Coordinates of all heavy atoms in Angstrom, one line a residue:
P165 N -7.3 22.9 -2.1 CA -7.9 24.2 -2.4 C -9.4 24.2 -2.7 O -10.1 25.2 -2.4 CB -7.1 24.6 -3.8 CG -6.0 23.6 -3.9 CD -6.2 22.5 -3.0
Q166 N -9.8 23.0 -3.1 CA -11.2 22.8 -3.4 C -12.2 23.1 -2.2 O -13.4 23.3 -2.3 CB -11.5 21.4 -4.0 CG -10.9 21.2 -5.3 CD -9.5 20.7 -5.2 OE1 -8.9 20.7 -4.1 NE2 -9.0 20.2 -6.3
R167 N -11.6 23.0 -1.0 CA -12.4 23.1 0.2 C -12.8 24.5 0.5 O -13.8 24.7 1.3 CB -11.5 22.6 1.5 CG -11.1 21.2 1.3 CD -12.2 20.2 1.6 NE -12.4 20.1 3.1 CZ -13.5 19.5 3.6 NH1 -14.5 19.1 2.8 NH2 -13.7 19.4 4.8
G168 N -12.2 25.5 -0.1 CA -12.6 26.8 0.1 C -11.9 27.6 1.1 O -12.3 28.8 1.4
W169 N -11.0 26.9 1.8 CA -10.2 27.7 2.8 C -8.7 27.3 2.5 O -8.4 26.4 1.7 CB -10.5 27.5 4.2 CG -10.6 26.0 4.6 CD1 -9.5 25.3 5.1 CD2 -11.7 25.1 4.7 NE1 -9.8 24.0 5.4 CE2 -11.2 23.9 5.2 CE3 -13.0 25.3 4.5 CZ2 -12.0 22.8 5.5 CZ3 -13.9 24.2 4.7 CH2 -13.4 22.9 5.2
T170 N -7.8 28.0 3.1 CA -6.4 27.9 2.8 C -5.7 27.0 3.9 O -6.4 26.6 4.9 CB -5.8 29.3 2.8 OG1 -4.4 29.2 2.4 CG2 -5.8 30.0 4.1
D171 N -4.5 26.8 3.7 CA -3.8 26.0 4.8 C -3.4 26.9 5.9 O -3.4 28.1 5.8 CB -2.5 25.3 4.1 CG -1.6 26.4 3.7 OD1 -1.7 26.9 2.5 OD2 -0.6 26.8 4.4
A172 N -3.1 26.2 7.1 CA -2.9 27.0 8.3 C -1.8 28.0 8.2 O -1.9 29.2 8.6 CB -2.7 26.1 9.5
E173 N -0.7 27.7 7.5 CA 0.5 28.6 7.5 C 0.1 29.8 6.7 O 0.4 30.9 7.1 CB 1.7 27.9 6.9 CG 2.4 26.9 7.9 CD 2.6 27.4 9.3 OE1 3.2 28.5 9.4 OE2 2.2 26.7 10.2
S174 N -0.7 29.7 5.6 CA -1.0 30.8 4.8 C -2.1 31.6 5.6 O -2.0 32.9 5.5 CB -1.7 30.4 3.5 OG -0.8 29.5 2.8
A175 N -3.0 31.0 6.3 CA -3.9 31.7 7.1 C -3.3 32.5 8.2 O -3.6 33.7 8.5 CB -5.0 30.8 7.7
L176 N -2.2 31.9 8.8 CA -1.5 32.6 9.9 C -0.7 33.8 9.3 O -0.6 34.9 9.9 CB -0.6 31.7 10.7 CG -1.3 30.5 11.5 CD1 -0.3 29.6 12.1 CD2 -2.2 31.1 12.5
D177 N -0.1 33.6 8.1 CA 0.5 34.7 7.4 C -0.4 35.9 7.3 O -0.1 37.0 7.5 CB 1.0 34.3 6.1 CG 2.3 33.3 6.1 OD1 2.9 33.2 7.1 OD2 2.5 32.7 5.1
A178 N -1.7 35.5 6.9 CA -2.6 36.6 6.6 C -2.9 37.4 7.9 O -3.0 38.6 7.9 CB -3.9 35.9 6.0
V179 N -3.1 36.6 9.0 CA -3.4 37.3 10.2 C -2.3 38.1 10.7 O -2.5 39.3 11.1 CB -3.8 36.3 11.3 CG1 -4.0 36.9 12.7 CG2 -5.1 35.5 11.0
E180 N -1.1 37.6 10.5 CA 0.1 38.4 10.9 C 0.2 39.7 10.1 O 0.5 40.8 10.7 CB 1.4 37.6 10.7 CG 1.8 36.7 11.8 CD 3.1 36.2 11.8 OE1 3.8 36.1 10.6 OE2 3.7 35.8 12.8
R181 N -0.1 39.6 8.8 CA -0.1 40.8 7.9 C -1.2 41.8 8.4 O -0.9 43.0 8.5 CB -0.3 40.5 6.5 CG 0.9 40.0 5.7 CD 0.7 40.0 4.2 NE -0.3 39.1 3.8 CZ 0.0 37.8 3.5 NH1 1.2 37.4 3.6 NH2 -1.0 37.0 3.1
E182 N -2.3 41.3 8.7 CA -3.5 42.2 9.1 C -3.2 42.8 10.5 O -3.6 43.9 10.8 CB -4.8 41.4 9.2 CG -5.3 41.1 7.8 CD -5.6 42.3 6.9 OE1 -6.3 43.2 7.4 OE2 -5.1 42.3 5.8
L183 N -2.5 42.0 11.4 CA -2.2 42.5 12.7 C -1.2 43.7 12.7 O -1.2 44.6 13.5 CB -1.8 41.4 13.6 CG -1.5 41.7 15.1 CD1 -2.8 42.2 15.8 CD2 -1.1 40.3 15.8
G184 N -0.3 43.5 11.7 CA 0.8 44.6 11.6 C 1.5 44.7 12.9 O 1.9 43.7 13.6
D185 N 1.7 46.0 13.3 CA 2.4 46.2 14.6 C 1.4 46.2 15.8 O 1.9 46.4 17.0 CB 3.2 47.6 14.6 CG 4.3 47.5 13.6 OD1 4.8 46.4 13.4 OD2 4.6 48.6 13.0
G186 N 0.1 45.9 15.6 CA -0.9 45.8 16.6 C -1.0 47.1 17.4 O -0.8 48.1 16.9
P187 N -1.4 47.0 18.7 CA -1.6 45.7 19.5 C -2.8 44.9 19.0 O -2.9 43.7 19.2 CB -1.7 46.2 20.9 CG -2.2 47.6 20.8 CD -1.6 48.2 19.6
W188 N -3.8 45.6 18.3 CA -4.9 44.9 17.9 C -5.1 45.0 16.4 O -4.2 45.7 15.7 CB -6.2 45.6 18.6 CG -6.1 45.7 20.0 CD1 -6.1 46.9 20.8 CD2 -5.9 44.6 21.0 NE1 -6.0 46.6 22.1 CE2 -5.9 45.2 22.3 CE3 -5.9 43.3 20.9 CZ2 -5.7 44.5 23.5 CZ3 -5.7 42.5 22.1 CH2 -5.6 43.1 23.3
L189 N -6.1 44.4 15.8 CA -6.2 44.4 14.4 C -6.4 45.7 13.7 O -6.1 45.9 12.6 CB -7.3 43.4 13.9 CG -7.0 41.9 14.1 CD1 -8.2 41.1 14.2 CD2 -6.0 41.4 13.0
F190 N -7.0 46.6 14.5 CA -7.1 48.0 14.1 C -6.2 48.9 15.0 O -6.7 50.0 15.5 CB -8.6 48.4 14.2 CG -9.5 47.8 13.1 CD1 -10.0 46.5 13.2 CD2 -9.7 48.5 11.9 CE1 -10.7 46.0 12.2 CE2 -10.5 48.0 10.9 CZ -10.9 46.7 11.0
G191 N -5.0 48.5 15.0 CA -4.0 49.4 15.8 C -4.4 49.4 17.3 O -4.5 48.4 17.9
D192 N -4.5 50.6 17.8 CA -4.9 50.7 19.2 C -6.3 50.5 19.6 O -6.7 50.5 20.7 CB -4.5 52.2 19.7 CG -3.0 52.5 19.7 OD1 -2.3 51.5 19.9 OD2 -2.6 53.6 19.5
W193 N -7.1 50.3 18.6 CA -8.5 50.1 18.7 C -8.9 48.6 18.8 O -8.8 47.9 17.8 CB -9.2 50.8 17.5 CG -10.8 50.8 17.6 CD1 -11.6 50.5 18.7 CD2 -11.7 51.1 16.5 NE1 -12.8 50.6 18.4 CE2 -13.0 51.0 17.0 CE3 -11.5 51.4 15.2 CZ2 -14.1 51.2 16.3 CZ3 -12.6 51.6 14.4 CH2 -13.9 51.6 15.0
F194 N -9.4 48.1 20.0 CA -9.8 46.8 20.1 C -11.2 46.7 19.5 O -12.1 47.5 20.0 CB -9.8 46.4 21.6 CG -10.4 45.0 21.9 CD1 -9.5 43.9 21.8 CD2 -11.7 44.8 22.2 CE1 -9.9 42.6 22.1 CE2 -12.1 43.5 22.4 CZ -11.3 42.4 22.4
T195 N -11.5 45.7 18.6 CA -12.8 45.6 18.1 C -13.3 44.1 18.1 O -12.5 43.3 18.6 CB -12.8 46.0 16.6 OG1 -12.0 45.0 15.9 CG2 -12.3 47.4 16.3
A196 N -14.5 44.0 17.7 CA -15.1 42.6 17.7 C -14.3 41.7 16.8 O -14.3 40.5 16.9 CB -16.5 42.7 17.2
A197 N -13.5 42.3 15.8 CA -12.6 41.4 15.0 C -11.6 40.7 15.8 O -11.2 39.7 15.6 CB -12.0 42.3 13.9
D198 N -11.2 41.4 16.9 CA -10.2 40.8 17.8 C -10.8 39.7 18.6 O -10.2 38.7 19.0 CB -9.6 41.9 18.7 CG -8.7 42.8 18.0 OD1 -7.7 42.4 17.4 OD2 -9.1 44.0 17.9
V199 N -12.1 39.9 18.9 CA -12.8 38.8 19.6 C -12.9 37.5 18.7 O -12.5 36.4 19.1 CB -14.3 39.2 20.0 CG1 -15.1 38.0 20.5 CG2 -14.2 40.3 21.1
M200 N -13.3 37.7 17.4 CA -13.4 36.6 16.5 C -12.1 36.0 16.1 O -11.9 34.8 16.2 CB -14.3 37.0 15.3 CG -15.8 37.0 15.5 SD -16.5 35.5 16.3 CE -15.8 34.2 15.3
I201 N -11.2 36.8 15.6 CA -9.9 36.3 15.1 C -9.1 35.8 16.4 O -8.6 34.7 16.4 CB -9.1 37.4 14.4 CG1 -9.9 37.7 13.1 CG2 -7.7 36.8 14.1 CD1 -9.5 36.9 11.8
G202 N -9.2 36.6 17.4 CA -8.4 36.3 18.6 C -8.9 35.0 19.3 O -8.1 34.3 19.9
S203 N -10.1 34.7 19.2 CA -10.7 33.5 19.9 C -10.0 32.3 19.4 O -9.8 31.3 20.2 CB -12.2 33.4 19.7 OG -12.6 33.2 18.4
M204 N -9.6 32.3 18.1 CA -8.9 31.1 17.6 C -7.6 30.9 18.2 O -7.2 29.7 18.5 CB -8.7 31.3 16.0 CG -9.9 31.6 15.3 SD -11.1 30.3 15.5 CE -12.7 31.2 15.1
F205 N -6.9 32.0 18.6 CA -5.6 31.8 19.3 C -5.7 31.4 20.8 O -5.0 30.7 21.4 CB -4.7 33.0 19.1 CG -4.5 33.3 17.6 CD1 -5.2 34.2 16.9 CD2 -3.5 32.5 17.0 CE1 -4.9 34.3 15.5 CE2 -3.3 32.6 15.6 CZ -4.0 33.5 14.9
V206 N -6.8 32.0 21.3 CA -7.1 31.6 22.7 C -7.5 30.1 22.9 O -7.0 29.4 23.7 CB -8.2 32.5 23.3 CG1 -8.5 32.2 24.8 CG2 -7.8 34.0 23.2
Y207 N -8.4 29.7 21.9 CA -8.7 28.3 21.8 C -7.4 27.4 21.8 O -7.3 26.4 22.4 CB -9.4 27.9 20.5 CG -10.8 28.1 20.4 CD1 -11.4 28.6 19.3 CD2 -11.7 27.8 21.5 CE1 -12.7 28.8 19.1 CE2 -13.1 28.0 21.3 CZ -13.5 28.5 20.2 OH -14.9 28.7 20.0
M208 N -6.5 27.8 20.9 CA -5.3 27.0 20.6 C -4.5 26.9 21.9 O -4.1 25.8 22.3 CB -4.4 27.8 19.6 CG -3.4 26.8 18.9 SD -2.1 27.7 18.0 CE -3.0 28.3 16.6
R209 N -4.4 28.0 22.7 CA -3.8 27.9 24.0 C -4.5 27.0 24.9 O -3.8 26.2 25.6 CB -3.8 29.3 24.7 CG -2.8 30.3 24.1 CD -1.4 30.0 24.7 NE -0.5 30.9 24.1 CZ -0.2 32.1 24.6 NH1 -0.8 32.4 25.7 NH2 0.6 32.9 24.1
M210 N -5.8 27.0 24.9 CA -6.6 26.2 25.8 C -6.4 24.7 25.5 O -6.5 23.8 26.4 CB -8.1 26.5 25.8 CG -8.3 27.9 26.5 SD -10.0 28.4 26.1 CE -10.0 29.9 27.2
L211 N -6.2 24.5 24.2 CA -6.0 23.1 23.8 C -4.5 22.6 23.9 O -4.1 21.6 23.4 CB -6.5 22.9 22.3 CG -8.0 23.1 22.1 CD1 -8.4 23.1 20.7 CD2 -8.8 22.1 22.9
G212 N -3.7 23.6 24.4 CA -2.3 23.2 24.7 C -1.4 23.4 23.5 O -0.3 23.0 23.5
G213 N -2.0 24.1 22.5 CA -1.2 24.3 21.2 C -0.6 25.7 21.2 O -1.0 26.6 22.0
K214 N 0.4 25.9 20.3 CA 0.9 27.2 20.0 C 1.1 27.4 18.5 O 1.3 26.4 17.8 CB 2.3 27.4 20.7 CG 2.2 27.4 22.2 CD 3.2 28.4 22.9 CE 2.8 28.6 24.3 NZ 3.6 29.6 25.0
S215 N 1.1 28.6 18.1 CA 1.2 28.9 16.7 C 2.6 28.8 16.2 O 2.9 28.7 15.0 CB 0.7 30.3 16.3 OG 1.5 31.3 17.0
G216 N 3.6 28.9 17.2 CA 5.0 28.9 16.8 C 5.4 30.3 16.2 O 6.5 30.4 15.7
R217 N 4.6 31.3 16.4 CA 4.9 32.6 15.9 C 4.8 33.6 17.0 O 3.8 33.9 17.5 CB 3.9 32.9 14.8 CG 3.9 32.0 13.7 CD 3.0 32.5 12.6 NE 3.0 31.5 11.5 CZ 2.9 32.0 10.2 NH1 2.9 33.2 9.9 NH2 2.9 31.1 9.2
P218 N 6.0 34.2 17.3 CA 6.0 35.1 18.5 C 5.0 36.2 18.4 O 4.5 36.6 19.5 CB 7.5 35.6 18.4 CG 8.3 34.6 17.7 CD 7.3 34.0 16.7
K219 N 4.8 36.8 17.3 CA 3.9 37.9 17.1 C 2.5 37.5 17.5 O 1.8 38.2 18.2 CB 3.9 38.4 15.7 CG 3.3 39.7 15.4 CD 3.7 40.2 14.0 CE 2.9 41.2 13.5 NZ 3.3 41.8 12.2
L220 N 2.1 36.3 17.1 CA 0.7 35.8 17.3 C 0.6 35.3 18.8 O -0.4 35.5 19.4 CB 0.3 34.7 16.3 CG 0.2 35.2 14.9 CD1 -0.1 34.0 14.0 CD2 -0.8 36.3 14.7
E221 N 1.7 34.8 19.4 CA 1.6 34.4 20.7 C 1.5 35.6 21.6 O 0.8 35.6 22.7 CB 2.9 33.5 21.1 CG 2.9 32.2 20.5 CD 1.6 31.4 20.6 OE1 1.0 31.4 21.7 OE2 1.1 30.9 19.6
A222 N 2.2 36.7 21.3 CA 2.1 38.0 22.0 C 0.7 38.5 21.9 O 0.1 39.1 22.9 CB 3.2 39.0 21.5
Y223 N 0.1 38.4 20.8 CA -1.3 38.8 20.6 C -2.2 38.0 21.5 O -3.1 38.5 22.2 CB -1.6 38.6 19.1 CG -3.1 39.0 18.7 CD1 -3.6 40.2 19.0 CD2 -3.8 38.1 17.9 CE1 -4.9 40.4 18.6 CE2 -5.1 38.4 17.4 CZ -5.6 39.6 17.8 OH -6.9 39.9 17.4
A224 N -2.0 36.7 21.6 CA -2.8 35.8 22.4 C -2.6 36.2 23.9 O -3.6 36.2 24.7 CB -2.4 34.3 22.2
D225 N -1.4 36.5 24.3 CA -1.2 37.0 25.7 C -2.0 38.2 26.0 O -2.6 38.4 27.0 CB 0.3 37.3 25.9 CG 1.2 36.1 25.9 OD1 0.7 35.0 26.1 OD2 2.4 36.3 25.7
R226 N -2.0 39.2 25.0 CA -2.8 40.4 25.2 C -4.2 40.2 25.4 O -4.9 40.7 26.2 CB -2.5 41.4 24.1 CG -1.1 42.1 24.1 CD -1.1 43.3 23.1 NE -1.1 42.9 21.7 CZ -0.1 42.5 21.0 NH1 1.1 42.3 21.5 NH2 -0.3 42.2 19.7
L227 N -4.7 39.3 24.5 CA -6.2 38.9 24.5 C -6.6 38.3 25.8 O -7.6 38.6 26.4 CB -6.5 38.0 23.4 CG -6.4 38.5 22.0 CD1 -6.3 37.5 20.9 CD2 -7.7 39.4 21.7
M228 N -5.7 37.4 26.3 CA -6.0 36.6 27.5 C -5.9 37.5 28.8 O -6.5 37.2 29.8 CB -5.2 35.4 27.6 CG -5.6 34.4 26.5 SD -4.5 32.9 26.4 CE -5.1 31.9 27.7
A229 N -5.2 38.6 28.6 CA -5.1 39.5 29.8 C -6.3 40.5 29.9 O -6.3 41.2 30.9 CB -3.8 40.3 29.6
R230 N -7.2 40.5 28.9 CA -8.3 41.4 29.0 C -9.2 40.9 30.2 O -9.4 39.7 30.3 CB -9.1 41.4 27.7 CG -8.3 42.1 26.6 CD -9.1 42.2 25.4 NE -10.2 43.2 25.5 CZ -10.1 44.5 25.4 NH1 -8.9 45.1 25.1 NH2 -11.2 45.3 25.5
P231 N -9.9 41.8 30.9 CA -10.7 41.4 32.0 C -11.8 40.4 31.7 O -12.1 39.6 32.5 CB -11.3 42.7 32.6 CG -10.5 43.8 32.0 CD -9.8 43.3 30.7
H232 N -12.4 40.5 30.5 CA -13.5 39.6 30.1 C -13.1 38.5 29.2 O -14.0 37.9 28.6 CB -14.6 40.5 29.5 CG -15.2 41.5 30.4 ND1 -15.8 41.2 31.6 CD2 -15.3 42.9 30.3 CE1 -16.2 42.3 32.2 NE2 -15.9 43.3 31.4
A233 N -11.8 38.3 29.1 CA -11.4 37.4 28.1 C -12.1 36.0 28.2 O -12.5 35.6 29.2 CB -9.8 37.1 28.3
M234 N -12.1 35.4 27.0 CA -12.9 34.1 26.9 C -12.3 33.1 27.8 O -11.1 32.9 27.9 CB -12.7 33.7 25.4 CG -13.2 32.5 25.0 SD -13.0 32.3 23.2 CE -12.0 30.8 23.2
K235 N -13.3 32.3 28.5 CA -12.8 31.2 29.3 C -13.7 30.0 29.0 O -14.9 30.2 28.8 CB -13.0 31.6 30.8 CG -12.0 32.6 31.3 CD -12.2 33.1 32.7 CE -11.4 34.4 33.0 NZ -11.7 35.5 32.1
M236 N -13.1 28.9 29.0 CA -13.9 27.7 28.9 C -14.1 27.0 30.2 O -13.2 27.1 31.1 CB -13.2 26.7 27.9 CG -13.3 27.2 26.5 SD -12.8 26.1 25.2 CE -14.5 25.6 24.6
G237 N -15.3 26.4 30.3 CA -15.6 25.7 31.6 C -15.0 24.3 31.8 O -14.5 23.8 30.8

Side-chain angles (χ1 to χ4, degrees):
Q166 294 85 350
R167 300 285 280 164
W169 56 83
T170 187
D171 63 279
E173 288 310 308
S174 305
L176 295 176
D177 285 345
V179 174
E180 276 194 338
R181 276 195 296 272
E182 288 300 310
L183 186 58
D185 293 330
W188 311 116
L189 287 160
F190 285 83
D192 289 333
W193 184 14
F194 179 87
T195 67
D198 294 297
V199 172
M200 278 313 308
I201 296 272
S203 64
M204 303 303 156
F205 298 100
V206 180
Y207 278 140
M208 201 195 289
R209 283 282 178 90
M210 287 168 174
L211 298 172
K214 290 220 169 181
S215 64
R217 298 184 181 218
K219 192 169 167 173
L220 295 178
E221 291 310 316
Y223 179 49
D225 288 339
R226 288 193 291 278
L227 290 160
M228 292 172 81
R230 292 186 70 81
H232 297 301
M234 178 175 120
K235 288 173 194 63
M236 290 194 100

